[in-house]
Amino acid sequence: MKIFKATYIMESQRLLNNKNITLLILFSLLSLYFVQIGIDNYKSIIENKEKFLDIERLKVYQYINYAQYGAYGFRILFIPSPVSVYFVNSSVISELTANVDSGERLNIYNSFKDRTLFADKAGGFKDFSGIMLLLGSLLVLYSGYESIIHKDYLRFMAGFTGHRKLFLSIFFSRVLVFTLLFLFIGGISLLLLKINGIQLSENEWSHWFIYLGVLALLSVFFFVLGTIAGTFKSRFAGFVVLIFLWFVFVFLAPGVVNAIISHNADNIVSNYQLELEKLKILMDFEKQAAEKAGPVEESNTETERELVESAWNNEFKKLQALEKKLQNEMEANIRRYQTLSCFFPSTFYLSAGNEIGGKGYENFIRFYEYIQVLKWKFIIFYIDKRYYSDFSKVEPFIKDSGNLFYARAHLPRNFTAGIWLTVVYILALFAVSYVRFKKSVRL
């Protein structure tokens, strides 16, 4: 314990020199700046939701009859979780709305249905989560590298402590310093949330701490990689390896995973093809209806009711099956993405951040399911009001804030597997680093 305490003091002094302190302060300020940007973005959405609700209510009272209401429908707004302030640009989805009507369309804007859900998104590093991966990983990686490159100093220290105690002391003392740094930044960011009046629920608190745990594992992983680069005899060779490793895990691995998933997404039926298939079903029905009763008028005739009931039991069921098919195809590709992401700590970090921030694939599927349920309820409402009721004015289908979808923090389906794989990588690299450390110090 005394050795660790002495080493911790020395490593802290080496790490926290004037140059490094300046870098860490700039890094902290930049991280908090992006948190504030995320807060402003979230507050803007919350402030605009009342305007959204008011406009949707007013639109209903402009319709003269239910035929107009059914044709234009209504919109649904996606409200992100407060935790999304940390993942505002690195998440899968940004601002999201959907339009529901009584026809064949089920439109989601920004249009993320079908393969577009899996396309690369711009601006992935311009938020708290992204900065932690881009610059935080580089700082930790370099810290691991710098802790091992002073071979004469390490040989001198190893003469008093032994190789194993020295290595463990350096490792845990530096990891502790960066853990405290990230906790400090996280604590200040939570203070920013409080100042801005943003409250986290119990679910969001638990997922926020889970995110910190994933960030800590990612930091340890990069630190161990840095120590391996530091064991090279040539400092230049070690530095080249350092940059190469950073590029591979921060840019190459996520890029490869996204490319594979985007390629697989080409097999998903496109939204345009889906709309064409649904339109064909409805047009076939319109032809049959025209042959049986002529063009459908506004009158509530028994023939019209029979046609509508036939459409509900047949054509509408086919439309629903097409939407479900698309959902199943998207979910299958999401599982592929989450499985592939487990194999690299950096991609696992991105996958976990997507879902923890409430703007990932899991919430998209929940949103998609929600609007499908609303659509079929709206169709039932529309049929009842138009063909089975006497009405003097159009009544709104949506009550209160039913056209707001509130996202929740989630975890990827294979989150546990990702954690265990990251831990295994850390332990394996730790063993490699220790063996190379002993060899480099004895030279």
Side-chain angles (χ1 to χ4, degrees):
M1 191 64 185
K2 290 182 179 179
I3 293 175
F4 173 79
K5 185 177 180 180
T7 305
Y8 175 75
I9 293 172
M10 286 188 292
E11 288 299 313
S12 298
Q13 290 174 343
R14 288 176 59 199
L15 183 62
L16 301 177
N17 55 49
N18 292 334
K19 182 182 72 175
N20 288 346
I21 287 176
T22 301
L23 287 174
L24 294 177
I25 289 174
L26 290 174
F27 171 72
S28 301
L29 291 175
L30 185 62
S31 302
L32 295 173
Y33 166 75
F34 280 113
V35 172
Q36 187 59 53
I37 287 182
I39 289 172
D40 292 340
N41 180 274
Y42 176 76
K43 287 175 68 177
S44 175
I45 294 173
I46 297 302
E47 289 168 1
N48 287 330
K49 76 175 183 179
E50 291 302 327
K51 295 179 183 177
F52 175 84
L53 290 173
D54 289 340
I55 290 172
E56 288 300 302
R57 291 190 198 102
L58 290 172
K59 281 166 59 178
V60 175
Y61 297 116
Q62 303 302 313
Y63 300 134
I64 299 173
N65 54 49
Y66 281 100
Q68 291 179 341
Y69 194 8
Y72 288 100
F74 58 91
R75 292 183 301 159
I76 304 166
L77 179 63
F78 181 97
I79 305 295
S81 162
V83 184
S84 66
V85 302
Y86 296 97
F87 311 90
V88 65
N89 284 314
S90 57
S91 298
V92 174
I93 53 182
S94 51
E95 294 184 15
L96 201 59
T97 59
N99 191 81
V100 172
D101 58 37
S102 63
E104 88 284 356
R105 293 170 299 174
L106 184 59
N107 291 328
I108 301 177
Y109 310 99
N110 298 319
S111 181
F112 287 131
K113 282 174 66 176
D114 64 59
R115 68 196 68 175
T116 56
L117 178 63
F118 304 96
D120 286 338
K121 311 297 188 297
F125 293 114
K126 293 189 292 185
D127 58 20
F128 179 87
S129 172
I131 286 297
M132 285 295 168
L133 177 59
L134 180 67
L135 298 183
S137 63
L138 188 59
L139 286 173
V140 175
L141 194 64
Y142 181 76
S143 175
Y145 167 79
E146 193 271 338
S147 68
I148 303 297
I149 60 174
H150 304 286
K151 301 297 189 299
D152 292 337
Y153 164 78
L154 294 175
R155 291 190 190 97
F156 174 76
M157 292 297 299
F160 295 97
T161 63
H163 296 92
R164 184 172 63 86
K165 287 184 179 180
L166 177 62
F167 182 78
L168 291 175
S169 297
I170 292 174
F171 179 86
F172 286 108
S173 61
R174 292 220 171 192
V175 166
L176 179 59
V177 169
F178 275 100
T179 299
L180 292 175
L181 172 67
F182 291 146
L183 287 175
F184 171 76
I185 295 173
I188 297 297
S189 72
L190 291 174
L191 182 61
L192 280 177
L193 263 67
K194 188 174 181 62
I195 292 172
N196 284 274
I198 297 177
Q199 300 289 332
L200 300 184
S201 67
E202 184 178 342
N203 168 267
E204 289 152 358
W205 273 113
S206 61
H207 282 80
W208 161 242
F209 285 114
I210 290 173
Y211 164 71
L212 287 182
V214 175
L215 176 60
L217 281 178
L218 182 75
S219 301
V220 174
F221 171 78
F222 275 106
F223 181 83
V224 178
L225 283 179
T227 60
I228 292 175
T231 59
F232 281 77
K233 185 176 181 180
S234 166
R235 287 194 180 185
F236 176 77
F239 188 76
V240 170
V241 169
L242 182 85
I243 297 301
F244 175 76
L245 292 173
W246 180 68
F247 176 81
V248 165
F249 286 101
V250 174
F251 295 101
L252 185 60
V256 169
V257 170
N258 288 335
I260 292 172
I261 296 305
S262 295
H263 177 72
N264 288 334
D266 288 339
N267 297 321
I268 296 176
V269 59
S270 74
N271 193 35
Y272 304 112
Q273 180 65 32
L274 185 70
E275 298 297 349
L276 182 61
E277 291 181 28
K278 291 193 294 183
L279 187 62
K280 185 178 184 300
I281 291 172
L282 285 185
M283 290 301 99
D284 289 343
F285 169 74
E286 290 285 352
K287 290 177 184 178
Q288 295 173 18
E291 291 172 0
K292 184 174 182 180
V296 176
E297 305 290 344
E298 284 293 319
S299 58
N300 263 344
T301 66
E302 191 63 33
T303 302
E304 285 177 342
R305 291 176 180 175
E306 291 176 4
L307 288 170
V308 167
E309 289 174 4
S310 173
W312 174 255
N313 293 321
N314 296 286
E315 280 74 19
F316 284 133
K317 294 290 190 296
K318 293 177 182 178
L319 299 181
Q320 197 172 20
L322 287 174
E323 290 287 354
K324 189 63 180 177
K325 177 185 176 183
L326 175 58
Q327 178 183 331
N328 291 337
E329 290 178 353
M330 289 191 296
E331 283 188 312
N333 214 37
I334 288 169
R335 302 298 161 247
R336 292 189 195 98
Y337 168 76
Q338 293 177 342
T339 299
L340 283 175
S341 295
C342 284
F343 289 97
F344 302 96
S346 54
T347 55
F348 173 66
Y349 168 82
L350 291 171
S351 175
N354 273 337
E355 308 306 337
I356 289 172
K359 296 170 70 175
Y361 293 120
E362 298 293 340
N363 263 313
F364 176 83
I365 293 298
R366 301 292 82 76
F367 180 66
Y368 191 46
E369 290 175 339
Y370 182 72
I371 61 178
Q372 285 188 77
V373 170
L374 274 185
K375 181 179 179 69
W376 302 118
K377 286 182 178 179
F378 179 62
I379 290 174
I380 293 172
F381 168 86
Y382 168 76
I383 291 172
D384 178 65
K385 292 295 184 180
R386 181 174 179 182
Y387 296 104
Y388 295 91
S389 302
D390 294 325
F391 61 89
S392 58
K393 66 176 182 178
V394 176
E395 298 176 359
F397 166 71
I398 293 293
K399 307 297 182 183
D400 300 323
S401 58
N403 53 347
L404 297 180
F405 176 86
Y406 287 92
R408 286 171 54 86
H410 289 275
L411 294 176
R413 295 289 179 92
N414 45 12
F415 178 78
T416 303
I419 290 291
W420 279 112
L421 271 174
T422 303
V423 170
V424 168
Y425 287 146
I426 289 172
L427 293 176
L429 292 172
F430 182 86
V432 171
S433 178
Y434 176 60
V435 170
R436 290 186 60 85
F437 169 79
K438 285 199 302 181
K439 182 179 179 181
S440 65
V441 171
R442 285 173 178 168
L443 292 176

Short mmCIF file of all heavy atoms in Angstrom, two decimals, residues 56 59-60 63 66-76 98-103 105 378 397-398:
data_model
loop_
_atom_site.label_atom_id
_atom_site.label_comp_id
_atom_site.label_asym_id
_atom_site.label_seq_id
_atom_site.Cartn_x
_atom_site.Cartn_y
_atom_site.Cartn_z
N GLU A 56 -51.55 21.24 -34.03
CA GLU A 56 -52.27 20.02 -34.38
C GLU A 56 -53.74 20.10 -33.96
O GLU A 56 -54.63 19.62 -34.66
CB GLU A 56 -51.59 18.81 -33.72
CG GLU A 56 -50.27 18.43 -34.34
CD GLU A 56 -50.39 18.07 -35.81
OE1 GLU A 56 -51.16 17.15 -36.13
OE2 GLU A 56 -49.73 18.74 -36.63
N LYS A 59 -55.55 22.52 -36.42
CA LYS A 59 -55.75 21.93 -37.74
C LYS A 59 -57.04 21.12 -37.81
O LYS A 59 -57.77 21.17 -38.81
CB LYS A 59 -54.56 21.04 -38.11
CG LYS A 59 -53.33 21.80 -38.59
CD LYS A 59 -52.10 20.92 -38.61
CE LYS A 59 -52.25 19.72 -39.50
NZ LYS A 59 -51.02 18.90 -39.54
N VAL A 60 -57.34 20.40 -36.72
CA VAL A 60 -58.54 19.56 -36.71
C VAL A 60 -59.80 20.39 -36.91
O VAL A 60 -60.71 20.03 -37.66
CB VAL A 60 -58.62 18.75 -35.40
CG1 VAL A 60 -59.94 17.96 -35.33
CG2 VAL A 60 -57.44 17.79 -35.30
N TYR A 63 -61.02 21.38 -40.49
CA TYR A 63 -61.59 20.42 -41.42
C TYR A 63 -63.11 20.52 -41.42
O TYR A 63 -63.76 20.62 -40.38
CB TYR A 63 -61.17 19.00 -41.04
CG TYR A 63 -59.67 18.78 -41.06
CD1 TYR A 63 -59.03 18.12 -40.02
CD2 TYR A 63 -58.90 19.23 -42.13
CE1 TYR A 63 -57.66 17.92 -40.02
CE2 TYR A 63 -57.53 19.04 -42.14
CZ TYR A 63 -56.91 18.39 -41.09
OH TYR A 63 -55.56 18.20 -41.09
N TYR A 66 -64.94 14.50 -42.18
CA TYR A 66 -63.97 13.47 -41.82
C TYR A 66 -63.18 12.98 -43.02
O TYR A 66 -62.10 12.40 -42.86
CB TYR A 66 -64.68 12.31 -41.12
CG TYR A 66 -64.97 12.62 -39.67
CD1 TYR A 66 -66.24 13.03 -39.28
CD2 TYR A 66 -63.98 12.53 -38.71
CE1 TYR A 66 -66.51 13.34 -37.95
CE2 TYR A 66 -64.23 12.84 -37.38
CZ TYR A 66 -65.50 13.24 -37.01
OH TYR A 66 -65.75 13.55 -35.69
N ALA A 67 -63.71 13.20 -44.22
CA ALA A 67 -62.93 12.83 -45.41
C ALA A 67 -61.64 13.64 -45.46
O ALA A 67 -60.56 13.12 -45.78
CB ALA A 67 -63.76 13.07 -46.67
N GLN A 68 -61.74 14.94 -45.13
CA GLN A 68 -60.54 15.79 -45.09
C GLN A 68 -59.61 15.35 -43.95
O GLN A 68 -58.39 15.28 -44.12
CB GLN A 68 -60.95 17.24 -44.91
CG GLN A 68 -61.63 17.85 -46.12
CD GLN A 68 -62.05 19.29 -45.88
OE1 GLN A 68 -62.14 19.75 -44.75
NE2 GLN A 68 -62.30 20.03 -46.96
N TYR A 69 -60.20 15.09 -42.80
CA TYR A 69 -59.40 14.67 -41.64
C TYR A 69 -58.63 13.39 -41.97
O TYR A 69 -57.44 13.25 -41.67
CB TYR A 69 -60.32 14.47 -40.44
CG TYR A 69 -59.63 14.37 -39.10
CD1 TYR A 69 -58.26 14.61 -38.94
CD2 TYR A 69 -60.35 14.01 -37.96
CE1 TYR A 69 -57.65 14.52 -37.71
CE2 TYR A 69 -59.75 13.92 -36.71
CZ TYR A 69 -58.39 14.17 -36.59
OH TYR A 69 -57.79 14.08 -35.37
N GLY A 70 -59.35 12.43 -42.58
CA GLY A 70 -58.69 11.18 -42.93
C GLY A 70 -57.59 11.36 -43.95
O GLY A 70 -56.57 10.68 -43.90
N ALA A 71 -57.77 12.28 -44.88
CA ALA A 71 -56.77 12.49 -45.93
C ALA A 71 -55.50 13.14 -45.40
O ALA A 71 -54.39 12.76 -45.78
CB ALA A 71 -57.37 13.34 -47.05
N TYR A 72 -55.67 14.14 -44.52
CA TYR A 72 -54.51 14.88 -44.01
C TYR A 72 -53.93 14.24 -42.74
O TYR A 72 -52.73 14.30 -42.51
CB TYR A 72 -54.89 16.33 -43.73
CG TYR A 72 -55.09 17.15 -44.98
CD1 TYR A 72 -56.36 17.41 -45.47
CD2 TYR A 72 -53.99 17.64 -45.68
CE1 TYR A 72 -56.54 18.15 -46.63
CE2 TYR A 72 -54.16 18.40 -46.83
CZ TYR A 72 -55.44 18.64 -47.31
OH TYR A 72 -55.60 19.37 -48.45
N GLY A 73 -54.80 13.66 -41.91
CA GLY A 73 -54.33 12.98 -40.71
C GLY A 73 -53.76 13.93 -39.68
O GLY A 73 -54.16 15.08 -39.57
N PHE A 74 -52.78 13.42 -38.95
CA PHE A 74 -52.15 14.20 -37.88
C PHE A 74 -50.69 13.79 -37.74
O PHE A 74 -50.29 12.75 -38.26
CB PHE A 74 -52.89 13.99 -36.55
CG PHE A 74 -52.93 12.55 -36.11
CD1 PHE A 74 -51.95 12.02 -35.28
CD2 PHE A 74 -53.97 11.71 -36.53
CE1 PHE A 74 -51.98 10.70 -34.89
CE2 PHE A 74 -54.01 10.37 -36.13
CZ PHE A 74 -53.01 9.87 -35.31
N ARG A 75 -49.94 14.58 -37.03
CA ARG A 75 -48.51 14.32 -36.85
C ARG A 75 -48.21 13.86 -35.43
O ARG A 75 -48.94 14.18 -34.49
CB ARG A 75 -47.68 15.57 -37.16
CG ARG A 75 -47.68 15.98 -38.62
CD ARG A 75 -46.78 17.19 -38.85
NE ARG A 75 -47.21 18.32 -38.04
CZ ARG A 75 -46.43 19.34 -37.71
NH1 ARG A 75 -45.17 19.37 -38.12
NH2 ARG A 75 -46.89 20.34 -36.99
N ILE A 76 -47.11 13.12 -35.30
CA ILE A 76 -46.63 12.65 -33.99
C ILE A 76 -45.19 13.13 -33.84
O ILE A 76 -44.38 13.00 -34.77
CB ILE A 76 -46.67 11.12 -33.89
CG1 ILE A 76 -48.09 10.61 -34.18
CG2 ILE A 76 -46.22 10.66 -32.51
CD1 ILE A 76 -48.16 9.13 -34.42
N ALA A 98 -43.74 11.97 -37.35
CA ALA A 98 -44.43 11.03 -38.24
C ALA A 98 -45.78 11.60 -38.60
O ALA A 98 -46.37 12.36 -37.82
CB ALA A 98 -44.59 9.68 -37.55
N ASN A 99 -46.25 11.26 -39.79
CA ASN A 99 -47.59 11.69 -40.22
C ASN A 99 -48.47 10.46 -40.40
O ASN A 99 -48.10 9.52 -41.11
CB ASN A 99 -47.52 12.47 -41.52
CG ASN A 99 -48.83 13.16 -41.84
OD1 ASN A 99 -49.12 14.22 -41.31
ND2 ASN A 99 -49.64 12.55 -42.69
N VAL A 100 -49.62 10.46 -39.76
CA VAL A 100 -50.55 9.34 -39.80
C VAL A 100 -51.83 9.81 -40.46
O VAL A 100 -52.39 10.85 -40.08
CB VAL A 100 -50.86 8.83 -38.38
CG1 VAL A 100 -51.98 7.80 -38.40
CG2 VAL A 100 -49.60 8.22 -37.75
N ASP A 101 -52.31 9.05 -41.48
CA ASP A 101 -53.60 9.35 -42.09
C ASP A 101 -54.36 8.05 -42.30
O ASP A 101 -53.90 6.98 -41.89
CB ASP A 101 -53.43 10.13 -43.40
CG ASP A 101 -52.59 9.39 -44.42
OD1 ASP A 101 -52.70 8.14 -44.49
OD2 ASP A 101 -51.79 10.03 -45.15
N SER A 102 -55.49 8.12 -42.97
CA SER A 102 -56.33 6.93 -43.15
C SER A 102 -55.98 6.16 -44.42
O SER A 102 -56.61 5.14 -44.72
CB SER A 102 -57.81 7.34 -43.20
OG SER A 102 -58.05 8.18 -44.32
N GLY A 103 -54.97 6.63 -45.14
CA GLY A 103 -54.59 5.98 -46.38
C GLY A 103 -53.48 4.98 -46.21
O GLY A 103 -53.23 4.45 -45.13
N ARG A 105 -50.24 5.54 -46.53
CA ARG A 105 -48.94 6.10 -46.13
C ARG A 105 -48.72 6.01 -44.63
O ARG A 105 -49.65 6.12 -43.84
CB ARG A 105 -48.83 7.55 -46.57
CG ARG A 105 -48.76 7.74 -48.07
CD ARG A 105 -48.90 9.20 -48.43
NE ARG A 105 -50.19 9.73 -47.98
CZ ARG A 105 -50.53 11.02 -48.06
NH1 ARG A 105 -49.65 11.89 -48.54
NH2 ARG A 105 -51.72 11.42 -47.66
N PHE A 378 -56.75 5.08 -35.52
CA PHE A 378 -57.29 6.23 -36.24
C PHE A 378 -58.20 5.77 -37.38
O PHE A 378 -59.25 6.38 -37.65
CB PHE A 378 -56.16 7.10 -36.77
CG PHE A 378 -56.62 8.31 -37.55
CD1 PHE A 378 -57.38 9.30 -36.95
CD2 PHE A 378 -56.32 8.44 -38.91
CE1 PHE A 378 -57.82 10.41 -37.67
CE2 PHE A 378 -56.75 9.54 -39.64
CZ PHE A 378 -57.51 10.53 -39.01
N PHE A 397 -59.25 13.11 -32.98
CA PHE A 397 -58.95 11.73 -32.56
C PHE A 397 -57.98 11.72 -31.38
O PHE A 397 -58.14 10.95 -30.44
CB PHE A 397 -58.34 10.98 -33.75
CG PHE A 397 -57.69 9.67 -33.37
CD1 PHE A 397 -58.45 8.59 -32.98
CD2 PHE A 397 -56.30 9.55 -33.40
CE1 PHE A 397 -57.85 7.38 -32.62
CE2 PHE A 397 -55.69 8.35 -33.05
CZ PHE A 397 -56.47 7.27 -32.66
N ILE A 398 -56.98 12.60 -31.42
CA ILE A 398 -55.96 12.67 -30.38
C ILE A 398 -56.48 13.47 -29.18
O ILE A 398 -56.99 14.57 -29.34
CB ILE A 398 -54.66 13.31 -30.90
CG1 ILE A 398 -54.01 12.39 -31.94
CG2 ILE A 398 -53.68 13.60 -29.77
CD1 ILE A 398 -53.49 11.09 -31.41
#
